[in-house]
Amino acid sequence: MTTTDALMPPPGDAPPPAAAATPTAGGLPPSESVARQTWQAFRRNPLGLVSAGVLILLGLVALAAPLIADYPSGYGEDVLAGPGAGHWFGTDDLGRDVFAQVVWGTRVSIVVGLAASLLAIVIGVLVGVAAAYFRPADLVLGVIVDVSLSLPVLPLMILVAALAGPSVPTLVVVIAVFSWPEVARVVRSQGLAVVPMPYVSAAHVIGGSHLWIIRKHVLPGVAPVVAVSVVLTTSRAVLSEAGLSFLGLGDPNSWSWGTILHQAQRSGSLATAWWTTLFPSLAILLLVVATTLLAVAYNDARNPRTR
Amino acid sequence: MRTFRRAIAVAAGALSIGLAATACSPSNPDSQAGGGSGGAADRITIGTTADVLNYNPLVGNSRTDTWVTNLMYPRMMSMGMDGVRSPYLASKWEYLDGGRKAKFTLRDDFTWSDGEKVTADDVAFTIDAVAKEKIGVVAGLISSYQKSTVISPTEIEFQLSQPDGTFLENVGFWMPVVPEHVFSKVGSVQKFANDKDWVSAGPYKLTTVERGQRYVLERMENFPLVEGGPKTKEVVFRVFPDVNTEALALRNGDVDLIANALPPPLAKTLEGDSKLKLVKVPSLGWAHMQYNTARKPLDKLEVRQALAAAVDYEAIRRVALQGKAVSSNSSVLTPTLKQWQDPSAKEYAHDPAKAKSLLTGAGFKDGNGDGLFDGLSLRMIYDQADPNISKWAQLVRDSGKEAGIEIKLEGLERNTYVEKYTARDYDIYAGSWAIMENPPANLALAFKCKGFINYANACDPELDALIDQARGQLDQAGQKGPIQQAAKIITDKVYDNVLYVEEFTIAHSAEWSNFLVQPSELLSIVNPVSVAQATKG
């Protein structure tokens, strides 16, 4: 069971969220009301609020990196200096400020995470909705998704990244290519609950085109799981980026948290200069835990049973 | 509440992964490293960062390949600290007939592990196989070889196509001798994996291989170069993919010696450890960048000179190498090879203003005012696993930017890197040579038109003529003049930008002593005589 599965209500446990999120004539409250109820439930959850705060903070750090620290380049005279007043997070084996690396690394790590996640979401939603809506295509797409999910992802990522050469676009594409199947599976299962709904059938009857029905009725129905998927896929993408960069397959022309770890490992200072690994690791931990908790909190707030 | 429980579950999951990772650490079958006392020991455990890729000594060329096969297969010559050859299997060597013939006289007390004597027939078979099948770098070094004549079991003579003053030293040091009675039965020698039933004549014989874990070699009692035979019964190479773990294993006493040179920051942290001894080993090669002269705009001398002026050499040695490197004065005749060095050589000056001026003179402009010359973006490839090059590549990129040159780093996985440099698919090649101890031979490979390792794609008739002139001389005194002129051309035309000569740091347990230090990381204290004569306690 994947993390995403764990966040989904079990079958029969609750009405399909799509029903609650989509304006229908079935006596359900209007969407504004659902959004307000979700927000009210969400803001009562301190872990969710703190997680959202952490993510907003990391986003601000990424945006304001040039205002916070100079871009780490060149070299410094204090090689492998411990944390102190001059260098809050210490220095690396070329005397560069680790704090500046973590700050600038936030930008690349989040950009790679978001870009890879969005790409994976686009592919996953297209495949998932197509499989749910066009039933004859379901078998073929289902097999493709299942095969993709059974592939050993990390070795393949390493192989492709090594062959394609290190760069940020390469990382984005490689991570997205191996992340979309999970999104597709979740979206498909949600789509299967939405497509048989009476209002979708009604849309068929009044002569709505497939594209219009998908855009107006199916996509809004799967939107809540997509929102959760975006958050979780982003955190997984950040982890993948850190992993690939740690293995030396990151972009040497930019800083990311994984790149900082890779340089610490390669220099042989991993065991002696703890600060070179602790702070980028904490940043990764913060982002991943915050995204996970945010997704959990959102899912709980959205689900009437767990509000 | 549910959310809180899930948070606890997430944390517990992360912790369990950590514990699982700890539990999955490789067990240590060699924890009783170096048992025994009073000099002779049962075992010496040597750490390495990679597996053996090829057990055929004529083909394998990785560091671990060399360390392991060097203990198994003899060469005709060994090497002193200054690169000068010393006897090993051969006791004497000479040129005859004005340099058209060369002769080795071998020792008569080397024996293969199956009891057969090592004879001149083995040498003749080996060199014929190398020449016929064009095996490895040795084939490129013996281009003048025509045929060999075995005069007696301990004497062999080579017929050369032209006088070649580099032949004996090349064959003597670079060509391991393999047993004819084994290798002649395998068909293609180049394709022979030699991965079992080893027959060898070095101080140790490989007996057990546990891939990814360890390689066990047993003592050959009758190895003649150490009185009484090798002191230690068993040599074990243990594989640690990560140098940090390897260093911890040395500190914990799980290994007695680390074969690979330590990255400078790690070496610095081990300096104060009383349980360890650090050995300084000079390099016989150099670290460098080569600019691909077959590509525009690097075919222009001014651009190459600008690139050379945009490098902060002092910072690379002082910061990236932590002072564990010396300048080579931008010459391919390095300070280690004192007998070849040109005292008039001067290092390129780090002068960003001069670099900008040269580029402006070459027609480059910064039209958009971004501080970088337009149309001057260069790709630099290097092996991302090399700790030193990965560091100084960043300094080269950053100092290049100060001079208005955009250098894009491509730190590549080893196989991709090899593929790219073999195809000369780069603007700038960053790398290092392990052993370049024989300038007349090495410069021919590295700088003559279409040379095997001519990574600058240089093709300069004047340079080629000087290298040929040197190779035609039979003694070092006659070779020195033309070689120094050739080296000056290489510097002046920036066919090679030599950054530094590294001083390697090799660490071993203070319980062990009596190692024999030889130059280069490939020989260091893991050379056959050193390992064979090392004692514990």
Side-chain angles (χ1 to χ4, degrees), chain B residues 35 68 81 87 92 174 286 322 374 377 387 430 456 460 462 508 521 528:
Chain B
V68 171
M81 287 298 276
K92 193 178 148 197
W174 286 101
W286 61 78
Q322 296 279 290
D374 302 336
S377 178
D460 187 325
E462 190 187 359
H508 67 83
E521 193 183 9

Side-chain angles (χ1 to χ4, degrees), chain B residues 9-72:
Chain B
V10 168
L15 183 63
S16 66
I17 289 168
L19 292 173
T22 311
C24 291
S25 299
S27 60
N28 175 15
D30 306 313
S31 54
Q32 300 299 313
S37 61
D42 286 342
R43 179 188 303 141
I44 182 167
T45 305
I46 302 173
T48 176
T49 51
D51 271 297
V52 175
L53 300 175
N54 205 315
Y55 300 94
N56 183 336
L58 298 172
V59 180
N61 63 2
S62 81
R63 289 180 306 178
T64 309
D65 292 0
T66 307
W67 291 322
V68 171
T69 58
N70 265 356
L71 294 179
M72 299 165 67

